[in-house]
Amino acid sequence: QVQLVESGGGVVRPGGSLNLSCAASGSIWGLDVMGWYRQAPGKERELVADISNTGRIYYLDSVKGRFTISRDNAKNTVYLQMTSLKPEDTAMYYCNVKGYFRTNWQSTGRGTQVTVAS
């Protein structure tokens, strides 16, 4: 099984910053992509950003220039630095990891709440 430990959510005012982290452990052989999804109440889950083990990065258009994703392969940890936060960034943020070992696998964390409000 894959274990994901997420941390860093919280409440912040508009324009503020938060840093999320997610450490993966357990059955993560062939780990490739690490990333973050989010889901706001009444909305579909969307991919915010992800990063492959070769450094390919994807960002949702609405977070480009404000969020930065990075990873520490030695620690199997992915980070999401969020700046200039907006109320519309309010959501549950879920860590997601994907890999391949004999078959494709993926795992999603329990989520950490990010609330942007004045």
Side-chain angles (χ1 to χ4, degrees):
Q1 288 189 344
V2 178
Q3 289 82 46
L4 299 174
V5 178
E6 301 156 314
S7 62
V11 180
V12 65
R13 294 181 182 272
S17 300
L18 282 174
N19 295 320
L20 307 183
S21 66
C22 172
S25 62
S27 303
I28 55 173
W29 299 287
L31 176 62
D32 184 6
V33 180
M34 305 182 79
W36 295 90
Y37 285 78
R38 70 184 181 187
Q39 186 166 22
K43 295 188 177 181
E44 293 187 356
R45 187 174 295 192
E46 60 184 357
L47 177 61
V48 177
D50 66 15
I51 180 169
S52 74
N53 63 6
T54 59
R56 175 203 56 78
I57 291 175
Y58 164 86
Y59 289 111
L60 182 67
D61 282 347
S62 62
V63 308
K64 286 180 180 177
R66 300 188 297 121
F67 291 11
T68 302
I69 192 168
S70 61
R71 65 189 282 173
D72 183 333
N73 289 329
K75 296 180 179 179
N76 295 315
T77 299
V78 62
Y79 307 95
L80 186 67
Q81 295 178 290
M82 305 185 292
T83 64
S84 301
L85 283 160
K86 304 176 181 179
E88 50 264 43
D89 294 317
T90 296
M92 185 70 79
Y93 284 69
Y94 299 90
C95 176
N96 176 268
V97 296
K98 300 180 180 69
Y100 180 84
F101 183 72
R102 299 178 180 171
T103 188
N104 291 313
W105 60 264
Q106 69 170 312
S107 184
T108 301
R110 295 183 176 182
T112 184
Q113 178 68 37
V114 171
T115 301
V116 185
S118 55

